[in-house]
Amino acid sequence: MLEIKNLHAKSEDKDILRGINLQVNVGEVHAIMGPNGSGKSTLAHVLAGREDYEVTQGEILYNGQNLLEMNIEQRAAAGLFLAYQYPIEIPGVSNKYFLKAAMNAVRKQHGQPLIDTTSFLKLLKENMQLLGMDKSMMERSVNEGFSGGEKKRNEILQMAMLQPKLAVLDETDSGLDIDALRIVADGVNTLRGPDRAIIVVTHYQRLLDYIVPDQVHVLAEGRIVRSGDRTLALELEDKGYGFLETHSAAASAAAV
Amino acid sequence: MSTDNALLEEYSQREYKHGFVTDIEADAIAPGLNEDVVRLISSKKNEPGWLLEWRLKAYRHWLTLKEPTWHNVKYPPIRYQDSIYYSAPKQQIKLNSLDEVDPRLLETYEKLGIPLEEQKALAGVAVDAVFDSVSVATTYKATLEEHGVIFGPFSEAVHKYPELVKQYLGSVVPYSDNFFAALNSAVFSDGSFCFIPKGVRCPLELSTYFRINAQNTGQFERTLIIAEEGSYVSYLEGCTAPKRDENQLHAAVVELVAMKDAQIKYSTVQNWYPGDADGKGGIYNFVTKRGACRGDNSKISWTQVETGSAITWKYPSVILQGDNSVGEFYSVAVTANHQQADTGTKMIHIGKNTKSTIISKGISAGFGQNSYRGQVKILKGATNARNFSQCDSLLIGDRCGAHTFPYIQVRNTTAKVEHEASTSKVGEDQIYYCRQRGLKTEDAVNMIVNGFCKEVYDVLPMEFAVEARKLLSVSLEGSVG
Ligand SMILES: Nc1ncnc2c1ncn2[C@@H]1O[C@H](COP(=O)(O)OP(=O)(O)O)[C@@H](O)[C@H]1O
Ligand SMILES: [Mg+2]
């Protein structure tokens, strides 16, 4: 489903991603871990097509298509979804309106008819119940005045409504208490299925107790320095990112 | 630089949708302004002597005034002697039904998307259509008459209700008020007159569509609305103008009078031709709008959505005379390309427990310059007066500007005045977020801008809010992507 080959990306004056290789097959859940500043969010944004980053080398194939040639909204319509680490506020635009506009925008791109209000509201109600969200959230402006946890839940609600093929969750767990974490994880697990893939970016292994990944990758200084199964996450938690430094140095040396 | 940013910078590329000229013969007088012209205008309208005298006084006073320069707008000198001060479509003025109206005129309205017929049927709105300077179609008169509501062309009211006109004309905006008001008082062509009798809730929303047509003709509308004790009226004003190369002067005066327990809601969606992408052409809109809350518990609300004009100079104000009276000002002003707007309000608190609310939303794109200028004045006797002002500016791109000039004067220590101001940019991250959810850049910007204006849309009459949204997206169309 997703194949990243030797991906290099930089912001205006800084190389951030320095040769990422990653393959995610349909039906899989991958976790990406790594210390702050290692490039996890940058990778997520490069996948989404954020224009602040320039891809200088490498390629990304998404269902056989060259992802880098698609613009942001085309990627979205092709089923790529990013749950933001820092969701954006849009004052004056109700959450409900935004959700419907997003769903219809995707439909429009596919030349499909717009969703009718009844089906939309039914779907919305179901998903909100699943995520334990209060009805009043829908009338409020997108993310405005939301608590950290509410914002994250709202991202998952959008994901649940849009039913993406590839969902990238960027630190959706941070700022959530344990109950909220469980609810969000349930939401993600509901999406899990043979025709989708999920990339979970996280700082802590805690989330992976609830969303059990098929593979875990550790990102450090813009490279994947280790890949493994779940136990890698546990090992990280045990030893901290510090233990990576030696590995990271070795990996850098190996990569040169 | 990112594509979004580049797109935002192109935001000024907006085409005026309503730019066309209707080919109706106009009866115009030669350009220039002097006492004879004032007399001619008055005689063309067969006006009584007192009105001519009033016009002449205004004209003589105007000669002593200097064009104001305190505003934050720049334009080449207006050559008043090159303007034409009277023009009327050559056709029968007395009409019984729409069938009698020049079909080309109706066509014009249809092109504008405001077919009179449909409006009458669908919205239940009485339309007093002002085409150039003379009203040509008046509808729904019967329903209004049943309720004793007078609504029609100003020039007609002068003959039919001279006492009312005489009593109230200039009582809120005296001819000596300012340069443009004096000019208007001397040469005003026509406008609307509206009188709601005691205790009557006007059964229809009253609407007027203004339109500048004959070339080089300054427009000098004069509107007067009187709401008697305990009455209510909602008045809608909307305008569009055909495309032009020359700047056109527009100096309207609107006076509102609300007596005890009366309410006037005055809503404007304004879309005069703003000039082309290079800033050429466009309407100069110098308007004096003021309402007087004469009686206790009266209320006047101004709501405006301004997307047009090369220059907008406009401060709809409320004089809060009666105790417990309420003044409101809700405004969205858009300046794109090279448009300039200096707009805001004045709230003058005189009576006790008077309350005013000001919500101003300025949107600047391209090279647009948007200034909010608001005055809140609490006089000595205005015990427990309250004002809340909120002025938000939204910038699109980085070559436009937003400015805020609040003037606050408080002479009574019991007063409470709050002022909040904010300036924000349509963020690239907001657009990115919307696009990540599948929206196109242009739709994203529209959504963000409409969200910014929400508090104002919420108080617009329903059908006007729909129109305003449409107008805003038309204004922003083609500017992104
Ligand atoms: N737009 C940007 N401009 C400049 N530097 C950036 C930008 N985005 C990220 N960086 C830098 O790149 C590095 C990786 O950031 P990020 O991808 O957010 O890391 P993570 O999500 O792993 O914490 C950090 O040093 C960060 O400061
Ligand atoms: Mg991050």
Side-chain angles (χ1 to χ4, degrees):
Chain A
M1 166 162 269
L2 181 73
E3 206 174 333
I4 303 176
K5 293 181 197 159
N6 189 33
L7 181 70
H8 289 251
K10 60 172 207 168
S11 67
E12 257 160 49
D13 52 357
K14 189 175 170 199
D15 292 331
I16 304 174
L17 302 183
R18 299 187 291 172
I20 302 245
N21 291 292
L22 179 67
Q23 181 166 345
V24 178
N25 298 316
V26 71
E28 290 179 351
V29 174
H30 287 232
I32 295 180
M33 304 183 72
N36 274 330
S38 55
K40 302 185 295 295
S41 292
T42 302
L43 175 60
H45 287 304
V46 168
L47 287 175
R50 184 172 195 154
E51 288 151 350
D52 295 6
Y53 301 107
E54 189 194 336
V55 173
T56 52
Q57 261 189 73
E59 59 175 336
I60 306 176
L61 291 176
Y62 174 70
N63 289 326
Q65 281 178 283
N66 181 352
L67 191 72
L68 297 174
E69 272 178 3
M70 298 160 75
N71 71 25
I72 300 169
E73 59 270 28
Q74 285 165 341
R75 296 180 198 200
L80 195 150
F81 180 90
L82 171 62
Y84 284 54
Q85 181 175 6
Y86 304 108
I88 308 296
E89 300 182 0
I90 309 178
V93 176
S94 82
N95 227 354
K96 189 155 90 186
Y97 182 87
F98 181 74
L99 263 174
K100 199 171 173 199
M103 292 180 76
N104 281 332
V106 170
R107 281 164 187 250
K108 255 190 250 168
Q109 286 199 55
H110 289 300
Q112 293 164 345
L114 305 184
I115 189 166
D116 66 279
T117 305
T118 322
S119 328
F120 170 76
L121 290 175
K122 187 164 167 274
L123 202 60
L124 182 62
K125 199 174 154 196
E126 285 167 12
N127 282 310
M128 289 185 71
Q129 269 167 1
L130 181 74
L131 293 168
M133 290 171 77
D134 192 79
K135 275 203 296 257
S136 66
M137 297 276 289
M138 277 307 105
E139 309 306 327
R140 288 167 62 185
S141 297
V142 179
N143 293 320
E144 197 187 30
F146 285 24
S147 71
E150 283 173 333
K151 282 184 182 170
K152 297 300 175 74
R153 242 186 251 216
N154 201 34
E155 293 291 287
I156 297 305
L157 175 69
Q158 291 177 17
M159 182 188 79
M161 294 293 284
L162 288 163
Q163 293 280 306
K165 295 211 161 61
L166 174 65
V168 182
L169 313 184
D170 191 0
E171 301 214 19
T172 301
D173 52 339
S174 56
L176 294 184
D177 61 34
I178 197 75
D179 292 332
L181 188 73
R182 216 173 268 146
I183 289 168
V184 164
D186 281 351
V188 175
N189 286 329
T190 310
L191 193 77
R192 212 168 167 163
D195 50 357
R196 296 178 212 283
I198 300 170
I199 297 175
V200 181
V201 173
T202 181
H203 204 65
Y204 309 101
Q205 95 83 27
R206 190 176 66 154
L207 179 67
L208 306 181
D209 290 340
Y210 302 99
I211 305 172
V212 180
D214 298 299
Q215 280 191 54
V216 175
H217 310 277
V218 180
L219 200 63
E221 292 168 19
R223 289 192 191 94
I224 291 179
V225 292
R226 275 188 76 180
S227 294
D229 60 13
R230 262 225 74 202
T231 52
L232 177 57
L234 294 167
E235 188 183 351
L236 271 179
E237 184 175 56
D238 207 30
K239 300 182 180 161
Y241 286 112
F243 99 103
L244 278 172
E245 272 162 24
T246 46
H247 292 269
S248 163
S252 309
V256 173
Chain B
M1 191 186 302
S2 78
T3 315
D4 273 338
N5 204 22
L7 288 170
L8 287 178
E9 296 220 332
E10 284 169 34
Y11 211 70
S12 57
Q13 308 305 309
R14 30 183 285 198
E15 274 296 312
Y16 187 71
K17 285 273 163 88
H18 299 151
F20 49 84
V21 178
T22 310
D23 185 23
I24 291 181
E25 234 182 296
D27 164 21
I29 62 174
L33 182 54
N34 53 49
E35 283 203 11
D36 287 343
V37 168
V38 176
R39 284 175 204 281
L40 187 66
I41 292 169
S42 189
S43 79
K44 282 227 179 230
K45 298 171 157 295
N46 205 16
E47 281 175 358
W50 63 264
L51 191 49
L52 172 63
E53 277 315 302
W54 193 75
R55 285 178 180 273
L56 287 170
K57 268 195 250 168
Y59 173 70
R60 287 168 199 146
H61 186 75
W62 179 71
L63 289 175
T64 70
L65 298 175
K66 279 215 166 62
E67 209 174 315
T69 53
W70 45 262
H71 43 238
N72 193 27
V73 295
K74 295 186 187 72
Y75 52 92
I78 297 169
R79 293 190 301 266
Y80 292 93
Q81 293 305 335
D82 292 351
S83 262
I84 296 169
Y85 289 88
Y86 181 82
S87 142
K90 259 192 196 156
Q91 62 173 36
Q92 282 274 295
I93 293 167
K94 279 250 182 275
L95 295 173
N96 296 316
S97 82
L98 282 178
D99 304 342
E100 297 171 41
V101 176
D102 186 327
R104 274 171 304 173
L105 176 56
L106 296 179
E107 227 176 83
T108 302
Y109 285 113
E110 254 153 68
K111 272 194 224 166
L112 290 170
I114 40 169
L116 279 176
E117 287 287 12
E118 231 173 72
Q119 284 232 338
K120 279 166 51 180
L122 292 177
V125 172
V127 175
D128 172 33
V130 175
F131 185 71
D132 262 28
S133 311
V134 173
S135 302
V136 291
T138 307
T139 54
Y140 270 59
K141 271 220 145 117
T143 320
L144 295 177
E145 265 165 24
E146 241 172 67
H147 290 79
V149 173
I150 302 169
F151 175 50
F154 195 95
S155 55
E156 198 181 292
V158 167
H159 296 288
K160 280 177 134 173
Y161 315 100
E163 289 314 310
L164 281 176
V165 175
K166 204 169 169 178
Q167 186 184 347
Y168 289 104
L169 177 68
S171 75
V172 186
V173 180
Y175 64 75
S176 56
D177 191 77
N178 68 70
F179 181 85
F180 297 108
L183 179 62
N184 172 287
S185 302
V187 301
F188 72 88
S189 35
D190 212 333
S192 296
F193 176 83
C194 175
F195 178 86
I196 320 292
K198 188 171 169 178
V200 169
R201 187 180 170 87
C202 185
L204 300 163
E205 295 196 308
L206 303 180
S207 170
T208 309
Y209 282 98
F210 296 88
R211 185 169 164 76
I212 294 180
N213 199 283
Q215 199 150 8
N216 238 334
T217 307
Q219 280 273 302
F220 304 97
E221 306 289 346
R222 184 102 202 174
T223 293
L224 178 55
I225 299 176
I226 302 143
E228 284 281 36
E229 187 176 327
S231 67
Y232 168 89
V233 63
S234 168
Y235 187 91
L236 315 184
E237 176 200 9
C239 19
T240 52
K243 195 159 190 157
R244 286 266 170 253
D245 266 341
E246 288 145 87
N247 290 305
Q248 289 182 300
L249 176 64
H250 181 84
V253 171
V254 176
E255 297 179 277
L256 312 182
V257 180
M259 308 308 275
K260 186 168 179 289
D261 299 319
Q263 268 191 48
I264 302 175
K265 187 174 166 66
Y266 192 106
S267 314
T268 307
V269 170
Q270 192 273 114
N271 185 28
W272 299 113
Y273 178 52
D276 66 15
D278 299 322
K280 199 161 176 280
I283 304 296
Y284 290 180
N285 195 25
F286 296 94
V287 189
T288 306
K289 285 183 166 174
R290 192 174 304 151
C293 282
R294 293 258 158 92
D296 293 351
N297 315 312
S298 55
K299 179 175 174 181
I300 289 178
S301 308
W302 296 102
T303 306
Q304 57 173 28
V305 176
E306 303 270 340
T307 65
S309 297
I311 291 171
T312 302
W313 182 99
K314 185 174 175 184
Y315 316 92
S317 308
V318 184
I319 300 167
L320 297 150
Q321 258 170 296
D323 291 348
N324 314 312
S325 59
V326 176
E328 293 176 337
F329 174 75
Y330 295 94
S331 168
V332 168
V334 180
T335 53
N337 292 335
H338 292 265
Q339 279 178 278
Q340 308 172 62
D342 193 303
T343 183
T345 182
K346 282 192 260 185
M347 294 290 175
I348 315 294
H349 292 252
I350 299 170
K352 295 186 184 62
N353 306 314
T354 45
K355 214 175 117 186
S356 63
T357 304
I358 299 171
I359 307 282
S360 162
K361 305 275 180 178
I363 299 162
S364 318
F367 296 91
Q369 292 295 326
N370 213 321
S371 299
Y372 167 80
R373 190 181 302 277
Q375 183 181 40
V376 176
K377 204 167 174 175
I378 312 256
L379 299 189
K380 236 190 178 129
T383 312
N384 287 322
R386 297 273 176 276
N387 164 265
F388 173 75
S389 304
Q390 183 188 326
C391 308
D392 298 323
S393 306
L394 187 68
L395 303 176
I396 301 173
D398 44 25
R399 283 178 298 199
C400 53
H403 318 271
T404 306
F405 305 97
Y407 305 87
I408 299 168
Q409 253 177 306
V410 180
R411 301 243 169 81
N412 185 308
T413 50
T414 60
K416 221 185 195 168
V417 176
E418 285 173 80
H419 180 90
E420 288 176 7
S422 78
T423 301
S424 53
K425 280 186 104 165
V426 170
E428 279 181 58
D429 49 357
Q430 286 175 324
I431 294 173
Y432 168 46
Y433 188 64
C434 294
R435 292 180 68 193
Q436 210 302 302
R437 299 304 186 239
L439 280 94
K440 295 206 159 68
T441 303
E442 189 163 290
D443 296 333
V445 172
N446 257 329
M447 184 193 266
I448 294 161
V449 169
N450 277 317
F452 174 77
C453 301
K454 183 171 182 294
E455 287 152 289
V456 176
Y457 289 166
D458 282 354
V459 297
L460 273 179
M462 186 69 142
E463 70 272 25
F464 237 33
V466 173
E467 230 177 275
R469 265 174 207 281
K470 258 197 244 161
L471 188 58
L472 223 70
S473 68
V474 167
S475 303
L476 305 178
E477 200 175 275
S479 45
V480 192

